[in-house]
Amino acid sequence: MKIAVCIKRTPDSESRFKIGASSTSIDEAGLKFDIDDFASYAVEVALQINEKQGPGETIIYAVGPDSVQETLRKAMSMGADRGVQLKTDSVPHDGLAVAKALAAELKTGGYDLVLFGKHAFDTSSGIVGTAVAELLDFACVTAATKLDIANGRGTARRELEGAAETVEFALPAVVTIDEGIARPRYPSLKGIMAAKKKPLETKPAQLGEVRVTVKSMQLPPERAAGRIIGEGAAAVPELIRLLQTEAKVL
Amino acid sequence: MSNILVFAETRGASLRKIALKAVTAGRALADASGGGEVHAMVAGPSGVAAAAQQLGEYGADVVVVVEDAALVNFNREVVAATLAARAKAGSYRAVVIGFSAQGRDVGPRVAVKLDAPIVTDVTEIGAVTADSLTVTHPGYANKVIATLEAKGPLVVVSIRPSAITAQPAARTAKVETMAPAADPAASRIVVKEVTEGGKGTIDLGDAPVIVSGGRGLKAPENFKLVEDLAAAFGNAAVGATRAVTDDGWRPHSDQIGQTGRQVSPQLYIAVGISGAIQHLAGMRTSKTIVAINKDKDAPIFKVADYGIVGDALEIVPVLTKAVQEAKAGH
Ligand SMILES: Cc1cc2nc3c(=O)[nH]c(=O)nc-3n(C[C@H](O)[C@H](O)[C@H](O)COP(=O)(O)OP(=O)(O)OC[C@H]3O[C@@H](n4cnc5c(N)ncnc54)[C@H](O)[C@@H]3O)c2cc1C
Ligand SMILES: Nc1ncnc2c1ncn2[C@@H]1O[C@H](COP(=O)(O)O)[C@@H](O)[C@H]1O
């Protein structure tokens, strides 16, 4: 199958963040970047489908400045066949503008399946994948926790609050990937060497008009420092007292 | 002054809590823009029209009822097409939906159909003018709070369920009916099965109290202790860490954290949970946090209002009994 996976370059989620001098973005100094978590699951899902189903192609797309080339190489070192950078100076915080750039490129690709993360770590928006589906007029499953593809049809599971649904759909389709399907593999040394020779194409991104912008960024208020009230079961009465009189939640 | 269109989410023919929260957010937006009307759309099988009364009680001026026997299960394509059709027909300032499983699916579709900017997972609505809407949206797994501005006369806004409290604003809603703007039978996404969680269980997103367990519980059967404690509170849901959902002790849907559910209950009790940064990302905005962990240096104690050091297997049953007694004493 011909599968496209769209990935974003985002900072390591374990990082401590500081707000940058402009106060409209984070300070990127010293941060490590990688494929955004959910999109890295999507890469793994694509590789597994093509490994299971025989001859296929996995193509990775990223919209962004030249730094995304490293991120595309990472996906290729996991086993993807080639990468495409849709070049912009910076990535706007406007999911629809990014989706338009991806859809313009994917439209003529003849893809059976286009995969995304459920949401990107930085924007935490959950817009791009579903918007691309709508722009391409593809069937779309948002936030799948299971995915099976067989005979040109897909079956997916989605978690609803307190329930779950199983849906069926015909290809071509867009699926955005939630957790639980696949844990991304680590690139092997052989994979890393091979990735250096795989094709990486750069094209200008046809971003849509940017209508959503960041006015300011702040760190959330710190929680008051934690307090240990006691040890073992003997501390339970004190906890009950605090929950009743101080926190007033009991 | 401008009108706001709200998607009032249902499951089967019943309203979901998020529907009332979305109406509350819609009401606030309408008021902020000088006092327009709130129009709420419900779509579902026959019987769904009964929701109109409650939507009115929470501030809807008009309820648009889309009743069709084929809409037993959530039909994302029909809902998106019908919401977009209605939005085009009226002159609305915003379409408000919940950032829920349904809303995640519907929001971007509607935005594309309307070619309107979209902001999601919004925790606060700020200034509204004729072509600018300012909102607050946490990013980087809740580690950074962004203020976003969406430019345009019509914006799609999806709101974080835990950030909004539904508020009555009594009205008698006028009821209009509307036919689905797309044929339900032609949908490309066919729902084969919906499995409901256990009867009487409260969703993590709605529960005022959450008791969560981690690997410190040692074995899946020990989750019984956590369930018993939740039952003692009566209004509690059970959560889990990724360590235990990965091991299949609990379903993935119970996972709280960066890649799981993000919750903000009144009381969060972490049992045998180390407090990894990815777990904290999902629960650090809880009002009161209690931690039970045998390691006094566990990072969870840094955010816990009340920490108890010790063996969860020994402490939790005692706590359960004490909660039962406290509840009975009231
Ligand atoms: C990209 C990414 C995303 C992630 N997303 C999530 C997420 O969404 N949610 C999430 O939870 N994790 C997530 N994780 C995993 C996270 O990093 C931790 O591994 C996980 O939260 C640890 O779970 P735990 O606290 O149950 O287990 P552990 O870290 O093993 O902690 C167990 C704790 O139990 C205590 N303990 C042991 N025995 C007892 C006892 N008898 N009584 C009391 N305490 C005891 C120990 O002292 C320890 O602190 C993610 C990781 C990555 C890399
Ligand atoms: N700049 C980008 N380039 C390629 N894919 C992207 C980009 N931004 C977002 N995506 C994809 O869209 C998903 C959702 O992003 P978002 O809508 O920003 O939460 C991500 O997990 C990626 O799969």
Side-chain angles (χ1 to χ4, degrees), chain A residues 6-8 36 39 61-63 91 102 116-117 119-120 123 125-128:
Chain A
C6 299
I7 65 173
K8 190 168 194 190
D36 81 89
Y61 289 85
V63 176
V91 183
L102 288 165
F116 294 83
H119 62 243
T123 61
S125 288
I127 296 169
V128 176

Side-chain angles (χ1 to χ4, degrees), chain B residues 19 21 30 40 47 65 68 92 126 129 142 178 183 217 244 284 294:
Chain B
K21 295 182 177 191
V65 176
D68 190 309
Y92 293 105
T129 67
N142 293 320
M178 185 175 167
D183 177 6
L217 282 167
V244 305
R284 68 176 313 144
K294 71 168 189 195

Side-chain angles (χ1 to χ4, degrees), chain A residues 23-198:
Chain A
S23 83
T24 57
S25 62
I26 55 158
D27 178 0
E28 297 197 347
L31 296 180
K32 275 191 303 185
F33 286 80
D34 205 340
I35 306 175
D36 81 89
D37 292 327
F38 289 109
S40 73
Y41 306 154
V43 172
E44 179 64 36
V45 168
L47 295 174
Q48 287 185 15
I49 291 172
N50 273 336
E51 281 162 4
K52 204 165 103 191
Q53 307 221 333
E57 207 188 356
T58 304
I59 299 120
I60 313 292
Y61 289 85
V63 176
D66 289 346
S67 53
V68 304
Q69 291 179 10
E70 181 197 3
T71 318
L72 289 164
R73 290 272 178 225
K74 165 80 182 283
M76 290 191 269
S77 70
M78 290 168 69
D81 297 289
R82 56 191 175 86
V84 181
Q85 174 196 7
L86 300 177
K87 186 167 171 156
T88 53
D89 295 336
S90 62
V91 183
H93 200 301
D94 182 333
L96 218 50
V98 174
K100 283 176 183 172
L102 288 165
E105 190 57 37
L106 292 165
K107 194 169 55 187
T108 53
Y111 289 103
D112 301 300
L113 196 58
V114 185
L115 301 182
F116 294 83
K118 162 180 144 181
H119 62 243
F121 168 68
D122 54 358
T123 61
S124 307
S125 288
I127 296 169
V128 176
T130 309
V132 167
E134 192 70 32
L135 290 161
L136 294 175
D137 199 22
F138 276 22
C140 176
V141 179
T142 305
T145 53
K146 267 191 194 143
L147 177 64
D148 286 305
I149 304 285
N151 310 319
R153 289 191 69 78
T155 308
R157 179 186 157 101
R158 298 180 74 230
E159 307 298 331
L160 312 173
E161 296 82 12
E165 63 177 2
T166 304
V167 297
E168 265 184 25
F169 55 96
L171 303 184
V174 165
V175 181
T176 78
I177 304 293
D178 196 347
E179 232 194 5
I181 301 191
R183 222 10 83 73
R185 66 191 67 184
Y186 290 102
S188 64
L189 194 58
K190 206 170 130 223
I192 294 169
M193 297 312 287
K196 293 189 174 146
K197 298 195 201 79
K198 289 180 179 173

Side-chain angles (χ1 to χ4, degrees), chain B residues 214-215 218 241-242 255-256 259 274 278-279 293 311-312:
Chain B
R215 194 146 47 196
K218 304 287 190 219
T241 63
R242 186 163 100 172
Q255 183 179 317
I256 288 168
T259 45
S274 59
Q278 295 91 352
H279 187 77
N293 194 304
D311 183 356

Side-chain angles (χ1 to χ4, degrees), chain A residues 215, chain B residues 4 25-34 93-94 119 122-129 132-137 146-150 157 159 164:
Chain A
K215 288 288 141 195
Chain B
I4 306 296
R27 188 72 259 155
L29 251 171
D31 292 345
S33 76
R93 181 67 188 84
V119 283
V122 164
T123 51
E124 229 178 286
I125 292 170
V128 195
T129 67
S132 157
L133 173 62
T134 305
V135 298
T136 305
H137 162 61
T147 303
L148 303 177
E149 182 187 28
V157 182
I159 55 160
I164 304 224

